[in-house]
Amino acid sequence: MGEEYLVNSMKALKEIISEEYVGPYFERFEQFSEICNYKKINYCMDEYINAELDIRTAGTRGIGRMSDDIPRFGGYFRKQITKISEEEVIELAHNIKQILYIGYLSHVLSLEETLKTPTTSSEDALFKKWIPGIYASNIGDIPDPLSNWIFGGSEENLNKLKKIMKSNGLIGGGFMQADKTDMILTYYPVAGFGLRARE
């Protein structure tokens, strides 16, 4: 299953790559796709997504966060999620995972002229190493070249996720409350980028 997410990620990122550079980046993608540890990556992403979509835990604070300034998806949309089907929740998870993969591949293509060799062996060790860094920095401080990879590459999929959310009544904000939907969602490609950085 990870192979499909990675291929879709390359298709998304291809849209922001200048035509003359598509060839070299695609070569790097093909090299990486042969060595990618999908089992480890899927484990980390699935654990994170399960925590994000958790509607049973009280409050809106989420995994990796020091506060609830950036709410957990499942906590923020708890009432709406309880009204939709399991299939629709699975669709949300699928789209979040695709965005994570785009962020992950963004690191590979934008920063790794020589593909890095992972130093973290087990799935659980990588997960524990990855999670604390997701919300530790301000995404507004990401320099433009990297920002283009991370957000430009994931823009279409983020918009698709928002459309699915809207069609299922997952709308944030309210009376005297700012909508935090964009804040929540824009950390997903950043999280994927960080996963590769920690690997």
Side-chain angles (χ1 to χ4, degrees):
M1 190 63 175
E3 293 93 335
E4 181 180 347
Y5 285 112
L6 198 68
V7 168
N8 288 338
S9 298
M10 185 62 210
K11 289 177 181 177
L13 290 167
K14 186 179 177 182
E15 297 300 315
I16 66 165
I17 299 172
S18 299
E19 189 174 344
E20 64 267 31
Y21 297 115
V22 169
Y25 281 122
F26 190 75
E27 286 181 16
R28 193 181 309 172
F29 162 75
E30 288 189 313
Q31 292 170 1
F32 179 72
S33 63
E34 293 178 1
I35 63 171
C36 180
N37 189 329
Y38 296 108
K39 180 183 176 184
K40 187 189 297 183
I41 300 313
N42 285 330
Y43 171 87
C44 291
M45 290 185 180
D46 290 343
E47 287 289 303
Y48 176 59
I49 292 168
N50 287 338
E52 279 298 290
L53 296 180
D54 171 22
I55 59 174
R56 295 180 179 84
T57 302
T60 60
R61 184 169 171 173
I63 189 167
R65 298 158 172 87
M66 298 300 290
S67 72
D68 61 357
D69 290 341
I70 306 159
R72 184 181 75 256
F73 189 104
Y76 191 65
F77 296 108
R78 179 179 287 106
K79 291 181 180 178
Q80 297 98 315
I81 292 177
T82 58
K83 297 176 182 177
I84 66 177
S85 68
E86 182 179 352
E87 289 75 17
E88 288 163 328
V89 174
I90 291 171
E91 185 179 17
L92 290 171
H94 166 74
N95 281 276
I96 292 171
K97 189 169 184 176
Q98 182 60 70
I99 293 165
L100 288 169
Y101 256 97
I102 291 170
Y104 180 87
L105 186 60
S106 293
H107 189 286
V108 175
L109 297 183
S110 66
L111 295 183
E112 300 178 34
E113 290 186 23
T114 300
L115 296 176
K116 66 180 285 187
T117 301
T119 58
T120 307
S121 55
S122 75
E123 291 94 339
D124 188 58
L126 177 58
F127 181 74
K128 290 176 179 176
K129 184 179 179 182
W130 169 46
I131 289 300
I134 295 174
Y135 300 95
S137 59
N138 185 348
I139 58 176
D141 294 334
I142 298 173
D144 287 341
L146 281 183
S147 180
N148 186 47
W149 278 97
I150 298 170
F151 300 121
S154 58
E155 182 178 7
E156 184 176 338
N157 285 271
L158 284 167
N159 288 335
K160 181 180 178 181
L161 178 56
K162 291 177 188 178
K163 186 175 180 180
I164 293 168
M165 291 168 62
K166 186 176 181 180
S167 68
N168 284 290
L170 275 68
I171 301 171
F175 181 68
M176 300 295 287
Q177 291 183 330
D179 185 359
K180 292 190 175 183
T181 301
D182 285 344
M183 187 184 299
I184 296 168
L185 301 188
T186 51
Y187 270 90
Y188 294 151
V190 173
F193 187 90
L195 177 58
R196 178 59 179 175
R198 301 295 185 275
E199 197 175 1

